Amino acid sequence: MSTSRLDQLASAAADELLNTAATGTDTVARRAELDRVRRNRRGVRLTAVAAVMASVLIVLLVEGNFFSNSNPQPMKPLPGIDVGDVPVWYDDAGLHRGNIVEQTPVELRQLDGMAIEDGALALVRNGALYLDPATGDVWFHPWGGDPRIVGQDSTTGPSGNPDGDIAAWFEGGHLVVYDTAADRVIARELPFWKVERAFGSNTCHAMCAEHAQPGNGFLLVSAERVIWNSSPSGEGHGPSNIYDVRTGQVSVADTKSVGRDEAELVDVSDDAAVYSVQDKSLWGWHLVLDIPGRAPQEYAEVNPRSRFSPSGNYLTSVGARAEGSGERVSAAIIDTRTGELWPVPETRYSWSAWSYGDIALVQQEDELLACDAALRTCETLPAEPPFLMPTN
Amino acid sequence: MTHDVAQPSGTSDGPVSSTSEVLDSGRDQPGFPADRSSELFDNFYHRELPRLVALARALAGPGAADDLAQEAMLKAYRHWSKLLTYDRPEAWVRRICANLATSLLRRRAAEARALVRLSARRQSVALSESHDAFWDQVRHLPRRQAQSVALRYLYDMQVLEIAQTLGCSEGSVKVHLSRARQALAAQLVADTEGSA
């Protein structure tokens, strides 16, 4: 079939579709509008013919292999593959996973100048979930596959488990737990009235994920449990809530194990937890790492707002004392198995997050670093600010 | 995405009828008196809905088209105060509708809702066989290709407008349209030969 015939068919099919859409609507304005469209179409048909000729040229170029040479496309992996330990972030170029950039159907950031006002990006083993801040839609984007809307009207945006298939988000007061591999919602619960939902859209989101607040309020997402910090006043931390996926029961996390009256649960990984506890220091709070079978370990030199890596082997935070400066400014990574603290070798003001594996993302001003916590090395990523980091 | 702050649209003189069966009414919008804001939305709704239904039908099939278009309008209503500040709020709702229509999960949900209400609603008007086959082929295209084709033919959009509506570059729209044309032409030839 020639492209001109294709154009004719397409226009006729569009005409008929517009007619059927107008059936049952008898307003004069609607008819007039449709007529206007049709007149426009006739007016642009000459342009369409030119476009058809251009298309024929493109076809020739494609067949001559010129097109693909001038626009190299990376080999697409099978949809939903495990992409390995690569840094993931979003910026103007799209959704990055290592050296591959995928386009998203929606803009993930709601910007105020260069500042990200709203947006959430979460990882699961075979893809990413993100919030469309313009609509509240939650999208699942399988790596190498077609993104699809899986939730709506979410203020919090999603969270996920980079080592698993489960994601969670709030739709209004409902907690939704979603299995990305099975493509089905496994729980949709309305927690009882005492339980506050996670942080809303007006609070610090993925951009300030791990510096001031733990992302959008979610601490742990798995097939067994979902744990989130609520924010009754819209700011800061409220109680930490635990939803048992199997029983549907919701409980409030107990912080007594750390042995302090004033303790907030900051993050959870399996049975390990990290708390923010009150002290008499200048900051007023410091970090306590609680690993089963060991005495709680205190870190007075780092900001308690910290996050476990997906494996739980590392903890990222900010505030390691820059040598000689007396200021707490750089990113810090703690090996939770040995308790050793590694100040990331930069001393600029930092935000940090985790990607897959033990790859930490560290933003220092306009630069984004990927730091391998195991190897203790960092490299600068080709990221253009403002970039959105994962909020798992 | 086009988020330009400019004179809001939605001021045409089309007839105003209540949309309250679909939407909650009376929500005040910042910067506009409630009744004025409501009137602007009513006009917007009546002006955009028919082609939005056509767009949804092109991309998702007849069963779910009405629901998807209404869902896009519902989102527009919920974000109306924000849309009023946009230069082209219609581009926003078209993009939302196109995204909804090409999202498999949402399409299934809308189809299920449509089935439940089928007996109480008017039947979709059938398309002629060749046109139905054409849109069926469009629906089998990759998401962005299908959206580009639907916007091109249903809205008479040029490449720039499609790019602005979908929030992508002109270059990628050209590629999508080109590949879509190739795929459609090849498939329609195959169908013709198969039926000969």
Side-chain angles (χ1 to χ4, degrees), chain B residues 22-38:
Chain B
V22 181
L23 308 166
D24 298 328
S25 61
R27 185 181 295 182
D28 197 8
Q29 309 291 358
F32 289 84
D35 54 348
R36 176 66 177 145
S37 172
S38 177

PDB file of all heavy atoms in Angstrom, chain B residues 22-38:
ATOM      1  N   VAL B  22     -21.256  13.969  36.156  1.00  0.00           N
ATOM      2  CA  VAL B  22     -19.938  13.349  36.069  1.00  0.00           C
ATOM      3  C   VAL B  22     -19.020  13.869  37.155  1.00  0.00           C
ATOM      4  O   VAL B  22     -18.240  13.142  37.735  1.00  0.00           O
ATOM      5  CB  VAL B  22     -19.313  13.633  34.689  1.00  0.00           C
ATOM      6  CG1 VAL B  22     -17.945  12.971  34.579  1.00  0.00           C
ATOM      7  CG2 VAL B  22     -20.227  13.166  33.590  1.00  0.00           C
ATOM      8  N   LEU B  23     -19.126  15.124  37.447  1.00  0.00           N
ATOM      9  CA  LEU B  23     -18.158  15.775  38.312  1.00  0.00           C
ATOM     10  C   LEU B  23     -18.837  16.442  39.483  1.00  0.00           C
ATOM     11  O   LEU B  23     -19.968  16.872  39.404  1.00  0.00           O
ATOM     12  CB  LEU B  23     -17.400  16.840  37.520  1.00  0.00           C
ATOM     13  CG  LEU B  23     -16.777  16.369  36.208  1.00  0.00           C
ATOM     14  CD1 LEU B  23     -16.383  17.571  35.379  1.00  0.00           C
ATOM     15  CD2 LEU B  23     -15.590  15.491  36.484  1.00  0.00           C
ATOM     16  N   ASP B  24     -18.089  16.548  40.559  1.00  0.00           N
ATOM     17  CA  ASP B  24     -18.560  17.385  41.644  1.00  0.00           C
ATOM     18  C   ASP B  24     -18.560  18.818  41.147  1.00  0.00           C
ATOM     19  O   ASP B  24     -17.722  19.206  40.359  1.00  0.00           O
ATOM     20  CB  ASP B  24     -17.628  17.280  42.843  1.00  0.00           C
ATOM     21  CG  ASP B  24     -17.595  15.865  43.373  1.00  0.00           C
ATOM     22  OD1 ASP B  24     -18.622  15.180  43.283  1.00  0.00           O
ATOM     23  OD2 ASP B  24     -16.520  15.465  43.851  1.00  0.00           O
ATOM     24  N   SER B  25     -19.481  19.608  41.630  1.00  0.00           N
ATOM     25  CA  SER B  25     -19.534  20.980  41.139  1.00  0.00           C
ATOM     26  C   SER B  25     -19.240  21.955  42.263  1.00  0.00           C
ATOM     27  O   SER B  25     -19.216  21.606  43.435  1.00  0.00           O
ATOM     28  CB  SER B  25     -20.906  21.258  40.551  1.00  0.00           C
ATOM     29  OG  SER B  25     -21.870  21.107  41.556  1.00  0.00           O
ATOM     30  N   GLY B  26     -18.990  23.194  41.849  1.00  0.00           N
ATOM     31  CA  GLY B  26     -18.870  24.261  42.823  1.00  0.00           C
ATOM     32  C   GLY B  26     -17.520  24.382  43.482  1.00  0.00           C
ATOM     33  O   GLY B  26     -17.359  25.128  44.440  1.00  0.00           O
ATOM     34  N   ARG B  27     -16.508  23.699  42.980  1.00  0.00           N
ATOM     35  CA  ARG B  27     -15.198  23.822  43.607  1.00  0.00           C
ATOM     36  C   ARG B  27     -14.598  25.174  43.239  1.00  0.00           C
ATOM     37  O   ARG B  27     -14.514  25.531  42.085  1.00  0.00           O
ATOM     38  CB  ARG B  27     -14.289  22.692  43.147  1.00  0.00           C
ATOM     39  CG  ARG B  27     -12.956  22.708  43.863  1.00  0.00           C
ATOM     40  CD  ARG B  27     -12.078  21.591  43.370  1.00  0.00           C
ATOM     41  NE  ARG B  27     -12.647  20.284  43.712  1.00  0.00           N
ATOM     42  CZ  ARG B  27     -12.033  19.143  43.414  1.00  0.00           C
ATOM     43  NH1 ARG B  27     -10.883  19.145  42.795  1.00  0.00           N
ATOM     44  NH2 ARG B  27     -12.576  17.996  43.743  1.00  0.00           N
ATOM     45  N   ASP B  28     -14.179  25.896  44.230  1.00  0.00           N
ATOM     46  CA  ASP B  28     -13.595  27.205  43.973  1.00  0.00           C
ATOM     47  C   ASP B  28     -12.183  27.049  43.437  1.00  0.00           C
ATOM     48  O   ASP B  28     -11.429  26.216  43.899  1.00  0.00           O
ATOM     49  CB  ASP B  28     -13.564  27.997  45.279  1.00  0.00           C
ATOM     50  CG  ASP B  28     -13.370  29.474  45.022  1.00  0.00           C
ATOM     51  OD1 ASP B  28     -13.407  29.870  43.853  1.00  0.00           O
ATOM     52  OD2 ASP B  28     -13.178  30.206  46.003  1.00  0.00           O
ATOM     53  N   GLN B  29     -11.854  27.848  42.453  1.00  0.00           N
ATOM     54  CA  GLN B  29     -10.518  27.804  41.881  1.00  0.00           C
ATOM     55  C   GLN B  29      -9.819  29.113  42.185  1.00  0.00           C
ATOM     56  O   GLN B  29     -10.383  30.176  41.977  1.00  0.00           O
ATOM     57  CB  GLN B  29     -10.602  27.603  40.360  1.00  0.00           C
ATOM     58  CG  GLN B  29     -11.472  26.454  39.926  1.00  0.00           C
ATOM     59  CD  GLN B  29     -10.880  25.103  40.296  1.00  0.00           C
ATOM     60  OE1 GLN B  29      -9.787  25.026  40.850  1.00  0.00           O
ATOM     61  NE2 GLN B  29     -11.593  24.038  40.021  1.00  0.00           N
ATOM     62  N   PRO B  30      -8.568  29.044  42.654  1.00  0.00           N
ATOM     63  CA  PRO B  30      -7.851  30.261  43.007  1.00  0.00           C
ATOM     64  C   PRO B  30      -7.800  31.223  41.824  1.00  0.00           C
ATOM     65  O   PRO B  30      -7.511  30.831  40.702  1.00  0.00           O
ATOM     66  CB  PRO B  30      -6.442  29.748  43.350  1.00  0.00           C
ATOM     67  CG  PRO B  30      -6.623  28.311  43.676  1.00  0.00           C
ATOM     68  CD  PRO B  30      -7.765  27.844  42.866  1.00  0.00           C
ATOM     69  N   GLY B  31      -8.083  32.457  42.074  1.00  0.00           N
ATOM     70  CA  GLY B  31      -7.978  33.464  41.032  1.00  0.00           C
ATOM     71  C   GLY B  31      -9.239  33.637  40.216  1.00  0.00           C
ATOM     72  O   GLY B  31      -9.355  34.562  39.441  1.00  0.00           O
ATOM     73  N   PHE B  32     -10.177  32.744  40.397  1.00  0.00           N
ATOM     74  CA  PHE B  32     -11.422  32.842  39.650  1.00  0.00           C
ATOM     75  C   PHE B  32     -12.582  32.657  40.617  1.00  0.00           C
ATOM     76  O   PHE B  32     -12.532  31.781  41.470  1.00  0.00           O
ATOM     77  CB  PHE B  32     -11.519  31.755  38.574  1.00  0.00           C
ATOM     78  CG  PHE B  32     -10.593  31.964  37.433  1.00  0.00           C
ATOM     79  CD1 PHE B  32      -9.281  31.532  37.507  1.00  0.00           C
ATOM     80  CD2 PHE B  32     -11.013  32.614  36.292  1.00  0.00           C
ATOM     81  CE1 PHE B  32      -8.412  31.723  36.454  1.00  0.00           C
ATOM     82  CE2 PHE B  32     -10.150  32.804  35.223  1.00  0.00           C
ATOM     83  CZ  PHE B  32      -8.851  32.370  35.306  1.00  0.00           C
ATOM     84  N   PRO B  33     -13.636  33.441  40.446  1.00  0.00           N
ATOM     85  CA  PRO B  33     -14.834  33.153  41.233  1.00  0.00           C
ATOM     86  C   PRO B  33     -15.320  31.750  40.904  1.00  0.00           C
ATOM     87  O   PRO B  33     -15.129  31.264  39.783  1.00  0.00           O
ATOM     88  CB  PRO B  33     -15.835  34.207  40.751  1.00  0.00           C
ATOM     89  CG  PRO B  33     -15.019  35.243  40.045  1.00  0.00           C
ATOM     90  CD  PRO B  33     -13.805  34.555  39.533  1.00  0.00           C
ATOM     91  N   ALA B  34     -15.951  31.115  41.858  1.00  0.00           N
ATOM     92  CA  ALA B  34     -16.358  29.713  41.673  1.00  0.00           C
ATOM     93  C   ALA B  34     -17.226  29.526  40.438  1.00  0.00           C
ATOM     94  O   ALA B  34     -17.024  28.610  39.651  1.00  0.00           O
ATOM     95  CB  ALA B  34     -17.092  29.237  42.922  1.00  0.00           C
ATOM     96  N   ASP B  35     -18.214  30.433  40.243  1.00  0.00           N
ATOM     97  CA  ASP B  35     -19.114  30.229  39.112  1.00  0.00           C
ATOM     98  C   ASP B  35     -18.392  30.455  37.786  1.00  0.00           C
ATOM     99  O   ASP B  35     -18.643  29.793  36.798  1.00  0.00           O
ATOM    100  CB  ASP B  35     -20.352  31.136  39.228  1.00  0.00           C
ATOM    101  CG  ASP B  35     -19.980  32.588  39.402  1.00  0.00           C
ATOM    102  OD1 ASP B  35     -18.783  32.861  39.651  1.00  0.00           O
ATOM    103  OD2 ASP B  35     -20.884  33.429  39.297  1.00  0.00           O
ATOM    104  N   ARG B  36     -17.462  31.404  37.774  1.00  0.00           N
ATOM    105  CA  ARG B  36     -16.706  31.680  36.556  1.00  0.00           C
ATOM    106  C   ARG B  36     -15.797  30.490  36.215  1.00  0.00           C
ATOM    107  O   ARG B  36     -15.710  30.066  35.063  1.00  0.00           O
ATOM    108  CB  ARG B  36     -15.865  32.946  36.770  1.00  0.00           C
ATOM    109  CG  ARG B  36     -14.948  33.291  35.599  1.00  0.00           C
ATOM    110  CD  ARG B  36     -15.745  33.672  34.370  1.00  0.00           C
ATOM    111  NE  ARG B  36     -14.871  34.065  33.281  1.00  0.00           N
ATOM    112  CZ  ARG B  36     -15.101  33.820  32.014  1.00  0.00           C
ATOM    113  NH1 ARG B  36     -16.192  33.158  31.675  1.00  0.00           N
ATOM    114  NH2 ARG B  36     -14.284  34.224  31.078  1.00  0.00           N
ATOM    115  N   SER B  37     -15.131  29.966  37.237  1.00  0.00           N
ATOM    116  CA  SER B  37     -14.267  28.819  37.040  1.00  0.00           C
ATOM    117  C   SER B  37     -15.071  27.633  36.529  1.00  0.00           C
ATOM    118  O   SER B  37     -14.661  26.916  35.625  1.00  0.00           O
ATOM    119  CB  SER B  37     -13.580  28.462  38.357  1.00  0.00           C
ATOM    120  OG  SER B  37     -12.882  27.267  38.230  1.00  0.00           O
ATOM    121  N   SER B  38     -16.247  27.434  37.119  1.00  0.00           N
ATOM    122  CA  SER B  38     -17.109  26.327  36.724  1.00  0.00           C
ATOM    123  C   SER B  38     -17.560  26.491  35.273  1.00  0.00           C
ATOM    124  O   SER B  38     -17.604  25.535  34.502  1.00  0.00           O
ATOM    125  CB  SER B  38     -18.309  26.270  37.671  1.00  0.00           C
ATOM    126  OG  SER B  38     -19.186  25.261  37.268  1.00  0.00           O
TER     127      SER B  38
END
